[in-house]
Amino acid sequence: EYTYGRKAKGHNIPKDIAHFWELGGGTSLLDLISIPITSDTLRTFSIVLVLDLSKPNDLWPTMENLLQATKSHVNKVIMKLGKKNSKASSEMRQKIWSNMQKDHPDREIIDPFPIPLVIIGSKYDIFQDFDSEKRKVICKTLRFVAHYYGASLMFTSKSEALLLKIRGVINQLAFGIDKSKSICVDQNKPLFITAGLDSLSQIGSPPVPDNDIGKLHARSPMELWKKVYERLFPPKNTNTLKDIKDPARDPQYAESEVDEMRIQKDQELEQYKRSSSKSWKQIELDS
């Protein structure tokens, strides 16, 4: 679905126009992502991902599939743009770090989304009645995902006050209005976190006993959080996958530069898991 919005800049000045494409149907229409995102629109494009908080078992696969498909397409468009205009492509890749302070302790761990991203959790009115432990897992997980991708995160419902906040965020994306500096990380209230204002130290370790973290085989912090999340909220519609040999370990596909980077990322993951374990112990001691 397509619509648009206009905002006056001043007297006798043409109005700014923002174009809005809404892709409904969960993950069933992924192929349509390529229609609005082109080399002509990319530099002023933003993504708003709306997730249904009332369906936690569908939340991760929906989020993962939509973000992966969008990120893959955006990277292809950036590469295509780079062949025509290397300066523009370079500026875009540098811009994705603009929300993160240069001295932020998490710069080496996160992987910002290639274009501005906002994650909205809808139906907060239903979510707020969930068991507190479930709300804790969902909140921490979404905070990690948003922070990892350099995205903003906020929850909303039919509440007029929450809708006004979301409207403000959309106006900021569409018309460049100053970002809100307010923040709410209390799991008992609707989350509202502007990109760049969260941190892994505030989010804490994955919500699993520290002696279990080492048993989870994951290749990245994102995969680690996925495994922890799906322990409590297993996807409903998943096909049993057969065990297949990991091509990353297959000698016939060996590439020295890629393999060295893979080793480095594995080491970073192990360091993250160890630090998460220490954080968890510290939390237990403090409590």
Side-chain angles (χ1 to χ4, degrees):
E1 183 177 338
Y2 168 80
T3 188
Y4 67 92
R6 294 186 292 183
K7 184 175 180 63
K9 297 170 65 175
H11 185 62
N12 290 331
I13 300 176
K15 293 182 179 180
D16 285 333
I17 299 177
H19 305 274
F20 298 90
W21 288 268
E22 181 180 356
L23 181 64
T27 60
S28 62
L29 302 172
L30 278 175
D31 291 344
L32 296 182
I33 286 174
S34 62
I35 295 176
I37 306 177
T38 66
S39 56
D40 294 326
T41 64
L42 190 62
R43 278 173 282 185
T44 56
F45 212 95
S46 299
I47 297 291
V48 178
L49 173 63
V50 181
L51 299 172
D52 189 340
L53 295 174
S54 70
K55 299 178 180 179
N57 297 81
D58 297 333
L59 191 149
W60 189 284
T62 299
M63 174 180 67
E64 183 178 54
N65 288 329
L66 286 169
L67 289 181
Q68 284 183 353
T70 305
K71 186 177 183 180
S72 175
H73 176 68
V74 169
N75 283 331
K76 289 179 182 177
V77 176
I78 291 177
M79 289 181 63
K80 183 179 178 181
L81 178 64
K83 294 178 180 179
K84 297 180 180 178
N85 188 339
S86 59
K87 182 179 179 181
S89 176
S90 177
E91 288 176 350
M92 281 205 64
R93 295 191 183 279
Q94 292 176 10
K95 186 179 178 181
I96 64 175
W97 290 98
S98 61
N99 290 324
M100 184 66 62
Q101 297 177 355
K102 292 183 178 180
D103 59 348
H104 198 291
D106 302 335
R107 283 183 70 92
E108 299 300 320
I109 298 176
I110 69 168
D111 183 19
F113 209 72
I115 54 179
L117 171 66
V118 173
I119 299 176
I120 294 178
S122 67
K123 300 185 181 177
Y124 176 77
D125 50 330
I126 298 175
F127 172 78
Q128 66 182 345
D129 294 329
F130 281 14
D131 173 79
S132 62
E133 189 60 31
K134 291 183 177 180
R135 281 190 282 111
K136 175 184 176 181
V137 172
I138 294 171
C139 286
K140 289 189 67 169
T141 301
L142 288 179
R143 283 180 65 187
F144 171 80
V145 172
H147 183 59
Y148 184 82
Y149 283 129
S152 296
L153 172 67
M154 49 211 62
F155 290 174
T156 190
S157 65
K158 294 180 180 179
S159 161
E160 186 61 31
L162 293 178
L163 290 174
L164 281 173
K165 282 190 171 184
I166 298 300
R167 201 169 293 136
V169 172
I170 300 301
N171 275 325
Q172 183 273 316
L173 292 173
F175 302 111
I177 296 173
D178 291 341
K179 293 181 181 179
S180 171
K181 297 294 184 181
S182 64
I183 182 171
C184 178
V185 296
D186 186 346
Q187 70 179 45
N188 297 310
K189 298 178 181 180
L191 296 183
F192 188 93
I193 309 168
T194 302
L197 297 185
D198 214 342
S199 68
L200 293 176
S201 62
Q202 294 179 68
I203 296 169
S205 58
V208 64
D210 61 299
N211 59 336
D212 284 349
I213 288 183
K215 299 176 183 177
L216 297 174
H217 301 289
R219 293 171 293 179
S220 67
M222 183 65 72
E223 188 174 345
L224 178 63
W225 278 83
K226 176 183 178 180
K227 288 180 178 291
V228 172
Y229 183 86
E230 290 187 341
R231 275 186 163 193
L232 183 60
F233 302 109
K236 289 183 178 180
N237 300 318
T238 56
N239 297 322
T240 303
L241 299 176
K242 296 180 179 180
D243 292 333
I244 57 174
K245 187 176 180 180
D246 184 359
R249 311 293 179 185
D250 194 327
Q252 68 174 317
Y253 301 122
E255 292 186 38
S256 59
E257 293 183 2
V258 175
D259 293 339
E260 288 175 7
M261 183 59 70
R262 175 73 268 164
I263 292 173
Q264 179 184 331
K265 291 298 181 183
D266 287 341
Q267 292 172 344
E268 290 175 359
L269 174 60
E270 287 304 313
Q271 182 179 356
Y272 175 74
K273 290 167 72 173
R274 286 195 297 270
S275 64
S276 295
S277 177
K278 291 178 182 178
S279 298
W280 185 268
K281 290 178 181 179
Q282 186 63 46
I283 292 171
E284 287 184 334
L285 290 172
D286 291 342
S287 61

